Amino acid sequence: MASRHEISRRRVLQGAGAALLGAAAPQLLARGPARPNILFILADDLGYADLSCYGRRDYRTPHLDGLAGNGLRMTQGYSNSPVCSATRIALITGRYQYRLRAGLEEPIVREDRTIGLPPGDPTLPAQLRRIGYSTALVGKWHIGWAPEHGPLRSGYDSFFGILPGAADYFTHSGDGVAVPKETSLYEGDRPVSKRGYLTSLFADRACEEIRKAVSAGTPFFISLHFNAPHWPWQGPADEGAPSWKEDLFHTDGGTMAKYAEMVTALDSAVGRVLAELAAAGVAEETIVVFTSDNGGERFSDTWPFRGEKTDLLEGGIRVPLIVSWPNRIRPGSAEGQVMISMDWLPTLLAAAGARPDRHAAPDGENLLPVLTGAQEPQERTLFWRYKNRDQAAARSGRWKYLKVGKEEALYDLASDPRERANLRAKEKVRFAALKESFERWNAAMLPYPEGSVSAGHA
């Protein structure tokens, strides 16, 4: 029987030889240990303190707490945007989403099916696939409509999940306005009908993908993108309960108890997938990342931060971030490195022994040396903008520039994480420099289309 290394090498030579020799392919580093498997778990609208290991007090998340105990519980993890479509584009491309037309849609909406991630872009799954990884997306896509802008056109071998931003957890359909009334659940490019709670269905399929990849002997990259705990507010026992209202942005739905059911169901689903890794004998050699696409909404806990989803306050962009890699990452430590969604492309490619495609250089940074303890945490300068309420933000080291409408502020996040003390007047030179830095960066990004309006929710 061929070894895992031999099978992986054969897949590289046979399935991607021409691409590896071409100028657009990632360049392999010197040979080293076998490439790690990668399981990237993304929650939807999960607040910074919505896990008990981050401070949630009214329920427990034992499986994710355990993952954090066995790896890094990052305290300065950020999403690229305060809404989901934009963050997902940054995550898959490793670049500021504002460099792509689709990244200006916050969120990508049902009415315009011409907008989406350009097919064939050198995405994270595409670049991993070129060096021998099997690639699968299980869960929420929401950065284009199939088939033209679906996951199979962006580097994934397989897709099982929902295309739009939300769906009924049981019927897998929507309201007919923002989400199709017919099923939103797809297998590849085709709609399918299955019975079950989406959180559980996605965990089941992720377990199947693990077993399939291990049986084939190839390293795998599985994107497990849950839609939980995004609305509609439905727990695992709510089959048959009404979920959609005429006004999607209603504020009279859900309860704290229902939200707890949804998050604890998410935690249980993650636990089942982690158990599958262990049962398959690949837990030690698998990188597991868990994070959220943006800050929390409505029932979330974002303490100690202010703001929520759609805000560039810390509560809208600071997210839980857990990283585990038993073979390389020291367990049980809290890590203060500033890290953002677009960093994962160069970081995970480095872990796999490859460099990013030079024709689409990432804006994110390779932080693998920091995560593994080979380097001290690095200071970062990061930027955000969001058309809703004309918001802008920049963080450099401990300092943050924030603009909301006509109001501007400078905060020292190290001493004032709640963004209460505006130091703009006391730190005039620092404020002016950081604002100018944002404006230079913003001028290099695509402008918003004339007359475009952010939908505000995703």
Side-chain angles (χ1 to χ4, degrees):
M1 180 177 180
S3 69
R4 172 177 167 170
H5 176 76
E6 290 169 340
I7 295 171
S8 298
R9 184 173 182 272
R10 188 182 306 133
R11 176 170 176 137
V12 172
L13 293 174
Q14 295 177 348
L20 279 171
L21 294 172
Q27 303 170 39
L28 294 182
L29 300 176
R31 290 178 182 172
R35 298 188 185 106
N37 304 308
I38 303 168
L39 172 63
F40 197 101
I41 307 173
L42 191 66
D44 197 351
D45 291 359
L46 191 73
Y48 177 82
D50 274 344
L51 306 181
S52 44
C53 61
Y54 278 87
R56 191 83 192 205
R57 293 163 292 178
D58 54 329
Y59 57 77
R60 307 296 298 174
T61 51
H63 301 289
L64 286 163
D65 295 353
L67 185 68
N70 290 322
L72 296 180
R73 182 183 64 86
M74 309 285 281
T75 57
Q76 299 200 74
Y78 283 95
S79 60
N80 260 72
S81 171
V83 292
C84 62
S85 295
T87 291
R88 291 162 195 269
I89 286 177
L91 173 63
I92 200 172
T93 64
R95 310 172 77 198
Y96 280 113
Q97 63 273 23
Y98 319 104
R99 295 190 185 279
L100 287 82
R101 174 66 182 86
L104 305 180
E105 299 297 315
E106 300 169 331
I108 291 177
V109 294
R110 183 187 179 207
E111 286 77 7
D112 190 348
R113 292 180 177 247
T114 66
I115 299 297
L117 190 64
D121 264 23
T123 62
L124 175 57
Q127 294 184 64
L128 287 170
R129 185 165 67 179
R130 287 175 187 168
I131 59 170
Y133 277 74
S134 63
T135 60
L137 171 61
V138 179
K140 177 174 168 178
W141 175 240
H142 202 204
I143 50 178
W145 295 93
E148 293 84 356
H149 300 289
L152 302 187
R153 305 300 189 275
S154 291
Y156 287 109
D157 294 324
S158 64
F159 167 59
F160 173 73
I162 60 172
L163 290 171
D168 184 290
Y169 281 78
F170 294 96
T171 67
H172 318 140
S173 62
D175 66 320
V177 180
V179 179
K181 233 180 199 345
E182 64 274 13
T183 183
S184 296
L185 188 64
Y186 273 64
E187 181 86 55
D189 286 337
R190 297 183 178 182
V192 294
S193 177
K194 283 185 177 290
R195 183 171 181 177
Y197 188 64
L198 282 177
T199 303
S200 298
L201 289 178
F202 294 157
D204 292 343
R205 178 55 64 91
C207 290
E208 290 177 22
E209 293 291 346
I210 291 169
R211 291 191 293 270
K212 182 170 68 175
V214 171
S215 176
T218 59
F220 60 77
F221 173 62
I222 298 174
S223 298
L224 176 52
H225 293 184
F226 290 102
N227 59 316
H230 193 293
W231 50 261
W233 313 110
Q234 294 171 295
D238 290 337
E239 186 170 10
S243 64
W244 296 96
K245 299 186 62 170
E246 185 175 342
D247 177 9
L248 288 181
F249 307 126
H250 66 92
T251 57
D252 60 348
T255 64
M256 294 285 282
K258 189 59 60 182
Y259 188 77
E261 290 178 24
M262 297 172 75
V263 177
T264 53
L266 169 65
D267 179 71
S268 295
V270 171
R272 286 201 290 118
V273 179
L274 297 179
E276 188 64 44
L277 290 176
V282 296
E284 295 296 309
E285 58 198 86
T286 300
I287 299 171
V288 180
V289 180
F290 177 88
T291 189
S292 180
D293 60 351
N294 47 250
E297 183 184 18
R298 197 170 309 181
F299 301 112
S300 291
D301 188 350
T302 61
W303 180 263
F305 310 118
R306 289 196 299 147
E308 59 183 21
K309 179 179 178 178
T310 76
D311 293 330
L312 291 184
L313 287 159
E314 292 292 287
I317 52 177
R318 189 87 72 102
V319 291
L321 175 55
I322 298 169
V323 191
S324 173
W325 187 7
N327 278 350
R328 295 284 303 277
I329 292 178
R330 181 171 57 86
S333 57
E335 179 58 70
Q337 172 66 55
V338 174
M339 193 168 191
I340 193 168
S341 311
M342 64 186 178
D343 292 331
W344 285 110
L345 182 144
T347 299
L348 293 175
L349 284 176
R355 296 188 182 98
D357 188 309
R358 67 173 181 265
H359 296 292
D363 294 308
E365 293 186 10
N366 169 20
L367 294 176
L368 184 65
V370 179
L371 299 180
T372 57
Q375 287 185 9
E376 293 297 312
Q378 309 294 304
E379 281 203 351
R380 306 290 304 283
T381 298
L382 299 172
F383 303 97
W384 295 263
R385 70 184 198 195
Y386 186 47
K387 189 172 179 64
N388 185 42
R389 294 190 291 137
D390 187 20
Q391 298 180 74
R395 174 168 179 173
S396 183
R398 64 192 292 163
W399 298 96
K400 180 178 177 181
Y401 163 73
L402 179 67
K403 175 180 180 291
V404 181
K406 296 181 180 180
E407 301 298 320
E408 294 177 297
L410 180 71
Y411 297 112
D412 178 357
L413 293 180
S415 61
D416 178 29
R418 285 187 60 74
E419 299 171 283
R420 292 291 192 180
N422 186 354
L423 302 179
R424 173 182 175 180
K426 288 185 177 180
E427 297 279 354
K428 293 180 181 179
V429 174
R430 196 183 304 275
F431 170 82
L434 197 48
K435 178 180 178 179
E436 182 184 2
S437 180
F438 171 83
E439 290 173 346
R440 286 198 306 271
W441 167 83
N442 190 42
M445 299 295 114
L446 293 176
Y448 280 106
E450 191 67 31
S452 68
V453 177
S454 168
H457 288 70

